[in-house]
């Protein structure tokens, strides 16, 4: 099932990027997408044991995750703007390094968590070693969201609902 | 109207790039310089779309913008890897122990 | 479509304001890691807003070609969304492993006191 999904994914990509709908160009697209699917079908979707239903739920949860992260990006930009442009914001800047352990297991979930931490206000992921995250923060009061694990819980709801604590 | 909007946006983007160029010129460490180059590269993708609006060929210039942002990302990763003095895990733990003591 | 054009122009101007914040932050902030905050965050949103604004401004009719164009511009935005945090993390990690220690609150206070004394 997975090769078919990858083939249609690549074909949609081809159609958007080429923008031509005659038989010659579509035929070229089908041939090259088949070749790529045959050559590198084990590149995407690492864990093949999950069924189609789980994947669909994952995709739906991820779509619900996108508006939240976009709002966080807007807040992060307002925070940077305040620190850069006003004198009071510059005075309250207090950088330091925070370390915490995560309970996420797969690499992809860790990748999404690290990118989300980078996009939320006042924090950037500095170094990941195994389960330990080193994070550089700008202001004191913005760490609460991070250290209580709100971002981590959001990511775990999307990708690994089985490891959520308190369930 | 879209023509003058494009001209105005391009001019102000160029003006706002001057502080970033200052950071590339002065930058105390080499990482500051790569950071400035990265920011300017991202903004160049926007400038390519603006140029497409001026010539009325946005469909062509968007492809250039995709390729340029890809090259920009790969360049940043390569320079970061090149400057990275990869230290072993053992040495790093020793360093952490020293800083804790 | 005049309404779409006005929305696009507003998006572009807001993106320009955020890029101003990022550029000023890159000059004013005290060390590399704090500059990384300004560059890594201000870049993402301002690029997204400007590209979306231009996508709306150039959308004259609702034909298939203009929809494809909008989707392509959104593909650039998605790509930048994915790669900008990754490249800033790579640079951060390279700097940290290169013995470039981040400033702490104590250092900042010390430098502020020194600046006041020289006044």
């Amino acid at each position: 099932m997975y090769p078919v999904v990858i083939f249609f994914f690549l074909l949609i990509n081809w159609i958007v990027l080429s923008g031509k709908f005659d038989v010659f160009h579509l035929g070229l697209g089908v041939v090259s997408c088949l070749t790529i699917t045959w050559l590198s079908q084990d590149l995407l979707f690492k864990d093949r044991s999950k069924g189609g239903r789980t994947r669909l739920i994952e995709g739906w949860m991820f779509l619900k995750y996108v508006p939240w992260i976009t709002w966080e990006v807007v807040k992060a930009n307002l925070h940077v703007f305040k620190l850069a442009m006003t004198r009071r914001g510059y005075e309250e800047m207090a950088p330091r390094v925070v370390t915490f352990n995560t309970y996420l297991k797969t690499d992809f979930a860790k990748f999404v968590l690290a990118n989300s931490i980078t996009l939320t206000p006042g924090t950037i992921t500095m170094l990941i070693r195994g389960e330990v995250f080193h994070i550089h923060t700008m202001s004191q009061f913005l760490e609460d969201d991070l250290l209580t694990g709100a971002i981590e819980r959001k990511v775990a709801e999307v990708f690994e609902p089985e490891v959520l604590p308190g369930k | 109207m879209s023509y003058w909007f494009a001209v105005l946006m391009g001019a102000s983007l160029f003006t706002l790039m001057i502080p970033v160029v200052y950071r590339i010129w002065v930058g105390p460490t080499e990482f500051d310089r790569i950071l400035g180059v990265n920011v300017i590269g991202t903004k160049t993708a926007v400038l390519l779309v603006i140029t497409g609006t001026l010539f009325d060929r946005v469909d062509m210039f968007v492809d250039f913008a995709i390729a340029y942002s890809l090259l920009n990302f790969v360049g940043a990763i390569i320079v970061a890897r090149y400057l990275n003095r990869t230290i072993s895990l053992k040495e790093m733990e020793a360093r952490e122990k020293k800083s804790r003591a | 479509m005049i309404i779409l054009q006005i929305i696009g122009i507003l998006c572009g101007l807001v993106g320009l304001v955020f890029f101003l914040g990022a550029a000023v932050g890159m000059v004013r902030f005290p060390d590399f890691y704090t500059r990384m905050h300004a560059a890594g965050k201000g870049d993402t949103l301002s690029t997204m807003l400007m590209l979306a604004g231009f996508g709306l401004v150039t959308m004259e009719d609702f034909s298939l070609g203009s929809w494809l164009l909008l989707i392509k511009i959104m593909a650039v935005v998605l790509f930048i969304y994915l790669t900008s945090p990754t490249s800033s993390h790579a640079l951060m990690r390279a700097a940290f492993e290169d013995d470039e220690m981040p400033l702490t609150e104590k250092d900042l206070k010390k430098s502020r006191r020194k600046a006041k004394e020289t006044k």
Side-chain angles (χ1 to χ4, degrees):
Chain A
M1 192 199 80
Y2 277 104
V4 181
V5 175
I6 292 172
F7 171 73
F8 278 105
F9 191 67
L10 289 173
L11 193 65
I12 288 171
N13 228 334
W14 171 278
I15 289 172
V16 167
L17 282 181
S18 84
K20 289 186 174 129
F21 294 96
D22 50 281
V23 180
F24 176 65
H25 286 95
L26 279 184
L28 273 185
V30 168
V31 170
S32 52
C33 287
L34 274 178
T35 319
I36 303 263
T37 314
W38 175 57
L39 279 178
S40 61
Q41 53 151 316
D42 50 352
L43 193 62
L44 291 173
F45 301 116
K46 209 170 178 188
D47 186 11
R48 295 295 169 97
S49 61
K50 286 184 182 173
R53 198 184 148 76
T54 337
R55 289 284 178 195
L56 276 182
I57 291 174
E58 246 175 41
W60 172 242
M61 291 298 280
F62 189 72
L63 278 186
K64 279 206 282 187
Y65 177 74
V66 169
W68 178 78
I69 197 73
T70 311
W71 176 237
E72 288 292 317
V73 172
V74 174
K75 273 201 292 187
N77 272 278
L78 288 176
H79 176 240
V80 164
F81 192 80
K82 188 184 121 200
L83 280 191
M85 301 302 269
T86 64
R87 179 174 288 259
R88 253 190 77 230
Y90 195 79
E91 294 276 313
E92 72 189 28
M93 189 161 69
R96 67 186 188 125
V97 178
V98 177
T99 306
F100 77 98
N101 286 1
T102 179
Y103 50 76
L104 295 172
K105 292 286 184 303
T106 58
D107 282 350
F108 190 72
K110 278 181 195 167
F111 161 73
V112 175
L113 176 62
N115 273 9
S116 309
I117 285 173
T118 301
L119 289 176
T120 42
T123 47
I124 284 192
T125 315
M126 210 148 111
L127 194 67
I128 308 173
R129 243 189 313 121
E131 296 171 342
V132 188
F133 276 59
H134 297 259
I135 288 166
H136 187 264
T137 64
M138 277 277 254
S139 304
Q140 210 74 43
F141 62 97
L142 284 164
E143 294 165 17
D144 301 340
D145 207 20
L146 181 77
L147 292 181
T148 55
I151 306 170
E152 207 175 357
R153 204 174 309 123
K154 283 260 181 198
V155 177
E157 273 172 10
V158 179
F159 291 106
E160 299 177 3
E162 66 272 6
V163 297
L164 265 182
K167 221 183 189 185
Chain B
M1 188 166 75
S2 68
Y3 179 82
W4 286 110
F5 176 57
V7 170
L8 200 78
M9 282 286 284
S12 34
L13 259 182
F14 263 115
T15 318
L16 284 181
M17 271 182 196
I18 293 172
V20 188
V21 173
Y22 165 80
R23 181 49 66 197
I24 296 175
W25 185 269
V26 172
T29 64
E30 59 266 42
F31 300 105
D32 286 301
R33 299 197 166 116
I34 311 162
L35 188 59
V37 170
N38 206 353
V39 170
I40 285 188
T42 318
K43 288 305 165 223
T44 310
V46 180
L47 271 180
L48 277 171
V49 176
I50 293 176
T51 319
T53 319
L54 288 184
F55 288 125
D56 254 343
R57 288 295 306 274
V58 190
D59 49 345
M60 188 171 78
F61 278 84
V62 164
D63 294 344
F64 299 164
I66 293 177
Y68 199 87
S69 54
L70 196 107
L71 276 180
N72 186 33
F73 170 62
V74 173
I77 293 287
I78 287 175
V79 177
R81 280 280 133 194
Y82 174 66
L83 288 174
N84 191 352
R85 268 188 329 131
T86 26
I87 54 177
S88 63
L89 210 62
K90 207 181 272 178
E91 193 186 336
M92 187 161 221
E93 271 160 11
R95 201 188 281 172
E96 268 179 10
K97 212 174 276 172
K98 207 201 287 175
S99 73
R100 216 172 280 157
Chain C
M1 286 302 287
I2 196 80
I3 301 171
L4 278 186
Q5 282 199 339
I6 288 172
I7 294 175
I9 287 175
L10 277 183
C11 273
L13 290 181
V14 173
L16 215 57
V17 169
F18 281 133
F19 183 46
L20 173 74
V24 171
M26 274 193 77
V27 174
R28 268 188 85 191
F29 283 173
D31 76 327
F32 167 70
Y33 296 93
T34 43
R35 269 173 229 143
M36 190 58 114
H37 280 268
K41 282 165 194 155
D43 224 21
T44 323
L45 187 69
S46 65
T47 310
M48 178 188 127
L49 281 175
M50 279 187 232
L51 283 177
F54 269 92
L56 290 179
V57 164
T58 53
M59 196 154 167
E60 281 145 7
D61 49 349
F62 290 97
S63 63
L64 191 62
S66 59
W67 277 112
L68 272 180
L69 194 62
L70 195 66
I71 291 175
K72 252 190 216 176
I73 290 180
M74 282 301 139
V76 183
V77 169
L78 185 73
F79 186 75
I80 287 173
Y81 242 62
L82 281 179
T83 58
S84 169
T86 313
S87 64
S88 65
H89 168 69
L91 280 178
M92 205 86 174
R93 183 187 152 156
F96 187 63
E97 289 185 351
D98 203 41
D99 258 357
E100 176 86 20
M101 277 299 140
L103 278 182
T104 54
E105 204 178 348
K106 241 182 248 169
D107 301 333
L108 274 181
K109 269 184 188 158
K110 212 181 280 174
S111 68
R112 266 175 214 148
R113 210 177 299 136
K114 207 173 271 178
K116 263 180 200 166
E117 276 168 14
T118 50
K119 260 177 206 172

